[in-house]
Amino acid sequence: MKTLLTLIICILAFSTNAQFPEFQFHKIGEHGSKMGQTALTDLDEDGDLDWIFGERGKLSWFEQKSADDWILHPLGEGAQTDVGGCPIDINNDGKTDFMVGTGWYENTGDAKNSLFPFRNSFTISCHDNVAADVNGDGNIDIIANSNDTNNPYLVWYNVNKEIDQRWEHIIIGEGIHGGVDPKGYGDLDNDGDIDIVQGSSWFENNSGTGFSWTIHPFLIPDGGSRAGQYGLALKTWVTDIDKDGDNDIVEAECDTADTRVFWWENRRNGKKWKFHLISENSTGQDFHSLAVFDFDNDGDEDVFSGGGPMTQGTHQWIIWENTDGKAGSWTKHIILEGYRCHEAKAADVDGDGDIDICSKPWNGNIHVFMENKLID
């Protein structure tokens, strides 16, 4: 009955073009410093999503009991990385493991009572990890991106489910500080395989096997991307934001002050791109998060980001509403102020049929759950 009622409310919200939803603040807890490796997944398999994060590779998680009741647990130690990490079932046993830079944590099935053992994959410590089926074999692979002086590479790894085995890999190109996370992959040239976006470039998967790539380094917005002390860094999301049948690219500049959020319109199957601003040209924010979802359940995708560690002034959490449904008009909604936002994730955290947001700072310790009150 509850599921049917939720569906009816969703349909009504869509059909009446309902007002943009309010978001309610909840404090998850206080813990950590230099945090990345964020994820929302049902780690204890109790029907709701839990909040996972890392401190340079040391993973912890908050078990969700209710919106205002979260319990902190350790998860695993041993991996080395910056902020890169992602949930993925590596050994195909039906449980969510965690890829974290130089290795992965194997899910024991008892996260409340036992640490996940670390498995070395001999992969690189990195700023970004994302998971996608790059070679089209039906198995999820790992893409790692790093500008570390020892391993300044963008790398595709063919996942090996055997314990402590070196993973087959191809170096796709040079690394930058941030560019492929959280969803910098998709079919950009409409040839049926996965291509990769890395900040100001996209890499064409020539044969669909992941062994041959062509770089297209021309995604430079008007005035140039705003590189900071770590060089060029962007959060990236591939999706058909204008609903015209091909994949576009949404990006948020990060790791410097006064960054922007914008999107690239795909023209002629990735051969030509048109730049469109979503945010103001000057924001005073360091947008070290990106989530593209239908936050108001009106049938199109909106864009979320928030002020990270280099923000000037008051930190803001912002959703830009896709007002015309085709990414031609945007309305800014500030849903929270005064809390730092870094590596945020969005999902239906409370299982009520709308998209919520969880985040935390890079340094500092307050973890936040922003509950979408569209369906209450």
Side-chain angles (χ1 to χ4, degrees):
M1 180 62 71
K2 183 179 178 180
T3 302
L4 178 59
L5 180 59
T6 298
L7 178 60
I8 292 170
I9 293 173
C10 287
I11 293 170
L12 287 175
F14 175 80
S15 62
T16 59
N17 192 22
Q19 194 173 27
F20 198 81
E22 299 291 330
F23 282 76
Q24 182 176 349
F25 172 89
H26 300 276
K27 181 178 174 180
I28 295 175
E30 298 184 19
H31 184 82
S33 65
K34 293 183 173 61
M35 293 180 287
Q37 299 92 57
T38 54
L40 282 166
T41 189
D42 185 5
L43 198 60
D44 53 4
E45 299 182 347
D46 66 349
D48 55 32
L49 298 183
D50 307 300
W51 174 240
I52 295 89
F53 65 96
E55 298 169 88
R56 292 287 174 86
K58 176 184 176 182
L59 253 62
S60 303
W61 66 291
F62 279 101
E63 173 193 357
Q64 181 186 173
K65 306 296 289 185
S66 69
D68 293 300
D69 185 9
W70 301 73
I71 300 173
L72 178 66
H73 302 275
L75 189 62
E77 298 185 26
Q80 299 176 17
T81 199
D82 191 354
V83 299
C86 57
I88 171 179
D89 180 7
I90 290 177
N91 55 0
N92 294 325
D93 65 353
K95 297 190 290 288
T96 300
D97 310 300
F98 283 87
M99 175 68 200
V100 183
T102 57
W104 56 285
Y105 296 107
E106 184 181 7
N107 191 331
T108 62
D110 189 15
K112 293 181 185 180
N113 298 304
S114 64
L115 292 177
F116 288 7
F118 172 68
R119 307 303 188 188
N120 197 346
S121 53
F122 303 94
T123 45
I124 62 172
S125 174
C126 59
H127 190 276
D128 298 352
N129 279 131
V130 291
D133 182 9
V134 171
N135 59 355
D137 66 353
N139 298 313
I140 299 298
D141 311 309
I142 290 292
I143 303 158
N145 170 64
S146 176
N147 69 337
D148 185 281
T149 53
N150 295 318
N151 293 288
Y153 304 122
L154 175 67
V155 187
W156 162 60
Y157 289 99
N158 193 4
V159 170
N160 187 340
K161 66 181 180 180
E162 300 298 325
I163 301 298
D164 294 328
Q165 294 297 308
R166 188 175 300 275
W167 290 2
E168 176 188 32
H169 67 279
I170 292 292
I171 295 176
I172 299 171
E174 295 183 7
I176 63 174
H177 186 63
V180 301
D181 175 81
K183 191 176 176 292
Y185 57 87
D187 185 3
L188 296 175
D189 50 7
N190 285 329
D191 64 352
D193 55 41
I194 294 294
D195 308 301
I196 297 171
V197 180
Q198 184 207 45
S200 62
S201 304
W202 73 278
F203 292 80
E204 181 182 354
N205 190 350
N206 291 325
S207 63
T209 63
F211 288 97
S212 173
W213 300 85
T214 298
I215 183 173
H216 300 279
F218 59 87
L219 299 178
I220 305 295
D222 297 340
S225 290
R226 296 174 180 173
Q229 68 185 79
Y230 303 110
L232 185 64
L234 298 104
K235 313 303 288 183
T236 302
W237 198 289
V238 174
T239 187
D240 183 8
I241 194 71
D242 57 0
K243 300 174 72 173
D244 68 349
D246 54 27
N247 277 323
D248 311 296
I249 302 167
V250 182
E251 293 191 315
E253 295 167 321
C254 63
D255 282 323
T256 188
D258 198 26
T259 58
R260 300 165 294 178
V261 177
F262 43 81
W263 71 284
W264 293 98
E265 180 184 355
N266 190 346
R267 295 185 168 185
R268 295 170 45 207
N269 295 329
K271 294 182 176 65
K272 185 176 180 181
W273 300 85
K274 184 177 180 180
F275 172 76
H276 301 272
L277 263 176
I278 296 175
S279 70
E280 302 95 334
N281 195 51
S282 179
T283 66
Q285 303 290 314
D286 168 18
F287 287 126
H288 207 293
S289 294
L290 183 63
V292 182
F293 287 95
D294 184 1
F295 288 100
D296 53 2
N297 284 8
D298 67 350
D300 55 51
E301 290 180 308
D302 312 298
V303 176
F304 166 81
S305 193
M310 297 186 186
T311 292
Q312 300 173 335
T314 302
H315 294 78
Q316 296 179 335
W317 297 36
I318 303 167
I319 295 176
W320 291 271
E321 178 187 358
N322 189 349
T323 311
D324 67 354
K326 298 180 180 179
S329 176
W330 300 90
T331 299
K332 178 181 177 181
H333 301 273
I334 300 173
I335 64 169
L336 183 65
E337 290 190 287
Y339 289 85
R340 298 185 178 200
C341 181
H342 182 269
E343 298 290 311
K345 292 292 183 287
D348 185 3
V349 175
D350 51 7
D352 67 351
D354 52 33
I355 300 297
D356 313 295
I357 301 165
C358 289
S359 192
K360 45 81 196 168
W362 163 243
N363 269 326
N365 59 11
I366 298 178
H367 299 250
V368 174
F369 164 40
M370 290 299 290
E371 181 188 0
N372 188 337
K373 303 299 287 186
L374 176 66
I375 300 173
D376 196 1

